[in-house]
């Protein structure tokens, strides 16, 4: 048995990249399936790589029981080395053959080949293939794959097209060379929801969503989303599908959302199964986006892949950017942009402004699984959005066409990507590249002046130091600006200013009066705008800005400024904020989804981050109290409007997850959350009782919990849904999310003792312990009980599933923002985890970085 885990964790550096000494000309794999003793027989044709002189023949391998290995038909002795094996090989092309035994049933890490509810499935990104067989498991080694699966399962799938099947076997061939991380195999007694698509050049494609029997009724929406994605990618990017078959499989035990394996996407069942009765509008939207994301990877990730894992944002940033464009087209640009900005500020800014900060393209890592982060994904997408804004839509299209033409079939780098933009536009990308190589969120401060018809904006950018990067060079920042006249009309439409220096001014001349500037429209760059302004100007922009993002932003700034005063001085809620918000939500000309976003207050952890940035130590209980007071005041002040708005936002007719209906329900839901603070939960109970879809039912339940009238409904919900694992996740999550600060730890702890709790299923674990970390005031409650509970469970989970454990350690990343006592208790919790014997490399790296 060879096991890389016994080797000392080593830091890997981008600067050390060297190509592998051998090319793989073809791979043929035979799987003889058995839960605890699957045999994998590999036949791999290697030839010396002319691009390198490195003759070391090293194959990755982890937890593999090697039975034999042969070269050109002769059995050979191999040398076990940390992380794999070495062998002496010929200097001419040769055939490597080996047989290994693995144990899918006991693979709780959900990486490599494992079993979920008895079904075999794989997860190979980033480095899971080395748990299947000995192989150069690195993304720059690409090959075609032939796969034979032998087993008694009804359905046995792999990548590419089927070539043969019969009793007890199925064979597959994937003609597109791919790295091992895109390999996939699924075998189980599955049923399919079929569909079909014809590509623009006339290729018929068979589509399938494969699920456990009983889940067939939850596939229709996913299938439609897939077809929409295929059409959109042809129309917008000219990207056509390239196999005869596209399979999606739903799996219950999965560490992430989904995986783009060539022709065989594997999905966490929560990210593909949907029905009106069991899924909320938010679930539908997320499912549509993830299906699109995985499908879009077929070109951005699969046809053009990454040279090494440092380049991860090459495929992820671009694919997130593409799925955001898709959602924007399907569901409306303004609400999507606001949602994305909230998400970025909530998750990525926390990362960028703490001990885990890293550039979208990091230059070192210990465990690559720890770099599937908001910075790589979401900031990686923002960087592409900025590129597009800077070069313009036409040049962006030209650059992307060149990217596909030049790099199809290759494993690429960020340099290749930027070169394409240089060649397509003639612009230098040297400075822009800093977005990829520097960590941290720039602070963009702006001063205004007006003198005799000339209006001047002077910007200054500063990025605080991040781990390993003290000095920050100025970045290229696209700043979208529009000017409004005093009466609210737009005198100067949006223009993109290009800031390239540390400090820079931009002028508008011959104005008849001092304008009001709308700055960073559409959230044109992922920076923190520090503007000299006041609530009167914010209220003006909330009422008049012609850019919907900035109109919303003005409301958000107002809410933050009132909450800050409430938290730090005990001031009452600002009348100006309440009045302007009231006026905005009464404006029926505005999209209901947009108004729902206006009514949504910033999250408590975002408020804590804001206070910390302003030099105030956040007191979680004080933040919680201020938010409760503000919501109650909103409900009281808008008492006349809210019931009318609630009634007007009801949707008639059968449920549809389309944006128009979903946005109305979003507004009704936001309003219900307020109404429930003054009507004792009456409206919420009625909505719960009458609900015929999960959005209404869950909205009713959550408002009942807000009104502290949820006990009976919680019980009833469990009885109704105990058979449905995905709905039950919501039940676990909601109770923890809504628990009062002092009751949060006890609520979560009691739920971990519930018969339906299981820590080996990542969805259930996250629903319970992730919700604990997400309940800001409850997680940081004085007692320290939540810190201890989370630490206990991370210690329990680590030996079984290091990946999910490590990701959840991020709950502690802001520990230094809090008071000394909380810091001590959080540090002690982390040190207790770190002191565990045989702690995984994943968790060790995360906690060491957080503590450093
Ligand atoms: N590439 C997938 C996400 C993914 C990444 C890693 C995984 O296991 C470590 C699993 C999935 C995506 O972007 O959707
Ligand atoms: Zn992705």
């Amino acid at each position: 048995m060879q096991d890389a885990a016994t080797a000392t964790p080593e830091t890997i550096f981008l600067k050390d990249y060297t190509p592998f000494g051998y090319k793989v000309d073809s791979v043929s794999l035979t799987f003889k399936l058995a839960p605890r003793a699957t045999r994998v027989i590999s036949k791999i044709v290697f030839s010396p790589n002319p691009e390198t002189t490195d003759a070391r023949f090293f194959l990755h391998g982890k937890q593999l029981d090697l039975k034999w290995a042969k070269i050109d038909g002769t059995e050979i002795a191999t040398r076990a080395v940390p992380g794999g094996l070495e062998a002496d090989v010929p200097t001419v092309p040769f055939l490597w053959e080996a047989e290994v035994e693995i144990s899918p049933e006991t693979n709780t890490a959900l990486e490599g080949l494992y079993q979920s509810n008895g079904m075999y499935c794989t997860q190979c990104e980033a480095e899971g293939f080395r748990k299947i067989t000995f192989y150069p498991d690195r993304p720059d080694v690409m090959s075609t794959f032939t796969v034979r699966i032998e087993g008694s399962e009804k359905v046995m799938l792999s990548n590419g097209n089927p070539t043969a099947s019969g009793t007890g076997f199925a064979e597959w061939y994937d003609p597109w060379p791919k790295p091992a991380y895109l390999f996939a195999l699924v075998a189980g007694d599955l049923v399919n929801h079929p569909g079909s698509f014809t590509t623009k050049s006339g290729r018929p494609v068979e589509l399938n969503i494969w699920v456990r029997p009983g889940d067939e009724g939850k596939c229709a929406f996913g299938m439609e989303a897939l077809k929409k994605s295929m059409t959109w990618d042809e129309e917008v990017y000219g990207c056509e599908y390239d196999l005869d078959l596209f399979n999606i499989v739903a799996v219950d035990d999965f560490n992430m959302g989904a995986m783009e394996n060539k022709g065989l996407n594997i999905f966490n069942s929560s990210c593909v199964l949907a029905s009106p009765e069991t899924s909320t509008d938010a679930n539908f939207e997320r499912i549509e986006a993830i299906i699109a994301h995985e499908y879009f990877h077929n070109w951005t990730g699969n046809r053009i892949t990454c040279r090494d894992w440092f380049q991860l944002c090459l495929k992820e940033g671009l694919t997130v950017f593409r799925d955001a464009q898709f959602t924007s087209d399907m569901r409306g640009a303004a609400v999507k942009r606001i949602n994305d900005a909230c998400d970025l500020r909530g998750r990525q800014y926390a990362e960028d402004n703490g001990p885990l900060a890293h550039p979208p393209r990091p230059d070192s890592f210990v465990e690559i699984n720890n770099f599937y982060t908001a910075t790589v994904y979401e900031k990686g997408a923002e960087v592409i959005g900025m590129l597009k804004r800077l070069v313009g839509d036409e040049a962006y299209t030209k650059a992307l066409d060149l990217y596909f033409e030049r790099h199809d079939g290759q494993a690429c780098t960020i340099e290749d990507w930027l070169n394409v933009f240089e060649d397509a536009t003639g612009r230098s990308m040297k400075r822009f590249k800093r977005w990829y190589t520097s960590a941290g969120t720039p602070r963009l401060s702006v001063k205004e002046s007006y003198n005799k018809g000339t209006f001047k904006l002077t910007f200054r950018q500063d990025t605080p130091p991040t781990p390993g990067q003290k000095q920050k060079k100025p970045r290229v920042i696209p700043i979208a600006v529009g000017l409004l006249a005093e009466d609210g009309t737009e005198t100067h439409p949006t223009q993109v200013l290009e800031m390239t220096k540390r400090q820079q001014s931009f002028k508008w001349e011959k104005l008849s009066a001092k304008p009001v500037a709308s700055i960073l429209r559409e959230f044109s760059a992922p920076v923190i705008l520090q503007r000299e302004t006041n609530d009167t100007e914010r209220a003006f922009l909330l009422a008049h800005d012609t850019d919907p993002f900035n109109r919303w932003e003005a409301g958000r700034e107002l809410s933050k400024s009132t909450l800050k005063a409430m938290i730090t001085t005990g001031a009452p809620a600002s009348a100006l904020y309440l009045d302007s918000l009231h006026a905005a939500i009464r404006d029926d000309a505005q999209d209901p989804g947009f108004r729902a976003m206006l009514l949504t207050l910033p999250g408590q952890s975002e408020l804590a981050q804001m206070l910390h940035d302003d030099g105030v130590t956040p007191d979680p209980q004080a933040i919680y109290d201020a938010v409760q007071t503000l919501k109650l005041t909103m409900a009281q002040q808008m008492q006349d409007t809210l019931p009318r708005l609630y009634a007007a936002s009801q949707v008639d007719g059968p449920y549809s997850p389309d944006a128009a209906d979903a946005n109305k329900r979003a507004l009704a839901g936001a309003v219900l959350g307020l109404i429930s603070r003054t009507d004792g939960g009456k409206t919420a109970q009625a909505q719960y009782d009458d609900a015929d879809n999960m959005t209404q039912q869950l909205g009713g339940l959550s408002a009942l919990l807000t009104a502290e009238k949820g006990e009976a409904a919680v019980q009833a919900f469990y009885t109704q849904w105990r058979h449905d694992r995905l709905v039950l996740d919501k039940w676990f999550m909601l109770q923890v999310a809504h628990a009062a600060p002092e009751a949060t730890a006890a609520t979560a702890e009691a739920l971990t003792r519930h018969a339906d709790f299981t820590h080996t299923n990542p969805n259930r674990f996250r629903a319970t312990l992730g919700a604990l970390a997400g309940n800001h005031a409850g997680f940081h409650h004085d007692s320290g009980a939540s810190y201890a509970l989370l630490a206990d469970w991370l210690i329990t989970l680590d030996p079984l599933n290091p990946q999910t454990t490590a990701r959840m350690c991020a709950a502690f990343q802001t520990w230094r923002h809090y008071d000394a006592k909380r810091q001590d208790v959080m540090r002690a919790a982390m040190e207790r985890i770190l002191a565990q014997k045989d702690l995984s490399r994943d968790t060790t790296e995360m906690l060491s970085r957080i503590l450093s």
Side-chain angles (χ1 to χ4, degrees), residues 534-701:
N534 54 51
D535 283 356
T536 313
E537 191 170 78
R538 290 179 179 128
F540 173 87
L541 289 170
L542 170 56
H544 299 292
D545 204 321
T546 43
D547 178 71
F549 180 85
N550 264 6
R551 201 160 62 239
W552 169 83
E553 180 81 317
R556 166 107 334 177
E557 287 296 312
L558 272 175
S559 70
K560 282 190 187 164
S561 107
T562 193
L563 279 163
K564 185 174 175 191
M566 292 171 77
I567 296 162
T568 54
T569 69
S574 141
L576 181 58
Y577 170 57
L578 293 169
D579 290 346
S580 3
L581 179 66
H582 199 176
I585 63 157
R586 267 182 310 204
D587 180 358
D588 290 332
Q590 300 297 330
D591 173 53
F594 176 78
R595 285 186 278 162
M597 299 294 308
L598 274 181
L599 278 177
T600 310
L601 294 178
Q604 291 171 42
S605 51
E606 197 184 329
L607 293 168
Q609 174 82 44
M610 168 191 80
L611 292 173
H612 168 77
D613 287 351
D614 293 349
V616 179
T617 302
D619 172 352
Q621 185 67 43
I623 296 174
Y624 176 86
D625 292 340
V627 168
Q628 300 308 314
T629 306
L630 180 57
K631 286 184 178 169
L632 180 62
T633 316
M634 284 160 72
Q636 288 163 341
Q637 298 252 325
M638 302 193 237
Q639 235 176 74
D640 299 337
T641 305
L642 295 176
R644 180 191 69 73
L645 207 52
Y646 180 72
S649 309
Q650 297 306 309
V651 179
D652 299 326
Y655 175 89
S656 151
D658 283 359
D661 285 4
N663 284 340
K664 280 178 94 175
R665 280 188 294 267
L667 180 54
V671 169
L672 180 64
L674 295 175
I675 291 179
S676 308
R677 291 167 192 269
T678 53
D679 79 345
K682 224 175 77 214
T683 317
Q685 187 69 56
Q687 173 168 319
Y688 183 84
D689 293 339
D690 297 346
D692 66 354
N693 62 73
M694 185 48 72
T695 309
Q696 301 282 93
Q697 193 177 14
L698 209 67
L701 181 57

Side-chain angles (χ1 to χ4, degrees), residues 279-536:
S279 314
T280 61
D281 290 329
N283 295 147
F284 278 101
E285 179 170 339
R286 182 167 142 80
I287 288 168
E288 185 176 80
I290 297 185
I291 288 189
H293 179 97
E294 305 312 329
Y295 176 73
F296 296 160
H297 266 314
N298 189 55
W299 275 91
T300 52
N302 300 4
R303 289 285 287 255
I304 304 180
T305 194
C306 303
R307 186 193 73 175
D308 53 70
W309 291 119
F310 297 101
Q311 321 294 332
L312 182 58
C313 75
L314 177 73
K315 74 176 177 84
E316 294 305 346
L318 178 54
T319 306
V320 172
F321 181 70
R322 277 152 47 71
D323 82 54
Q325 288 182 298
F326 170 77
T327 299
S328 206
D329 286 354
M330 297 297 131
R331 290 175 174 265
V335 172
K336 172 62 177 161
R337 194 67 191 129
I338 295 168
N339 271 319
D340 283 353
C342 289
D343 186 50
L344 195 82
R345 287 171 177 164
R347 299 189 306 121
Q348 200 278 327
Y349 282 21
E351 215 162 79
D352 235 355
N353 293 285
L356 296 177
H358 55 278
R361 183 176 72 180
D363 37 34
S364 71
F365 62 75
V366 172
E367 172 52 64
I368 185 56
N369 285 338
N370 288 336
F371 283 83
Y372 287 79
T373 60
T375 299
V376 168
Y377 275 65
E378 276 74 30
K379 189 169 178 177
E382 289 298 325
V383 172
I384 293 174
M386 285 189 287
L387 249 182
K388 183 161 180 282
R389 236 165 246 124
L390 288 167
V391 303
D393 294 352
E394 226 174 279
Y396 174 81
T397 304
K398 199 169 145 203
L400 267 284
D401 289 347
L402 182 60
Y403 180 61
F404 292 127
E405 187 194 308
R406 185 183 285 177
H407 293 296
D408 186 12
Q410 298 178 2
C412 294
T413 60
I414 290 301
E415 282 75 13
D416 294 326
W417 165 252
L418 290 175
N419 282 342
V420 158
F421 276 81
E422 291 200 337
D423 294 346
T425 65
R427 290 170 61 119
S428 165
M429 290 291 150
K430 194 163 166 268
R431 270 183 176 229
F432 186 81
K433 188 178 171 185
R434 290 176 190 158
W435 280 105
Y436 282 106
T437 54
S438 324
T441 311
R443 274 42 173 184
L444 183 65
S445 60
V446 51
K447 286 194 168 49
E448 304 181 8
S449 73
Y450 179 76
N451 188 17
K452 294 186 194 142
T454 299
F455 180 64
K456 191 162 91 173
L457 290 178
T458 303
F459 294 94
R460 185 186 159 83
Q461 53 166 308
D462 294 283
T463 306
T466 53
Q469 290 187 337
K470 284 208 183 67
Q471 300 301 324
K472 303 284 184 180
K473 290 193 175 141
R475 307 194 198 176
V476 183
I477 305 179
I479 310 171
V481 175
L483 300 184
L484 305 175
E486 237 171 45
D487 64 356
T489 51
E490 186 176 78
T491 56
H492 292 70
T494 306
Q495 159 187 10
V496 178
L497 311 176
E498 188 172 331
M499 182 178 189
T500 54
K501 306 194 176 106
R502 195 167 298 282
Q503 182 155 325
Q504 211 166 335
S505 298
F506 299 87
K507 272 190 213 159
W508 287 260
E509 286 166 334
K510 298 193 186 124
L511 304 189
S512 53
K514 180 176 186 296
V516 176
S518 164
I519 305 173
L520 209 69
R521 286 185 150 187
E522 245 185 76
F523 192 50
S524 61
V527 300
I528 295 175
L529 183 64
Q530 296 173 333
R531 181 175 187 176
E532 284 178 331
T533 182
N534 54 51
D535 283 356
T536 313

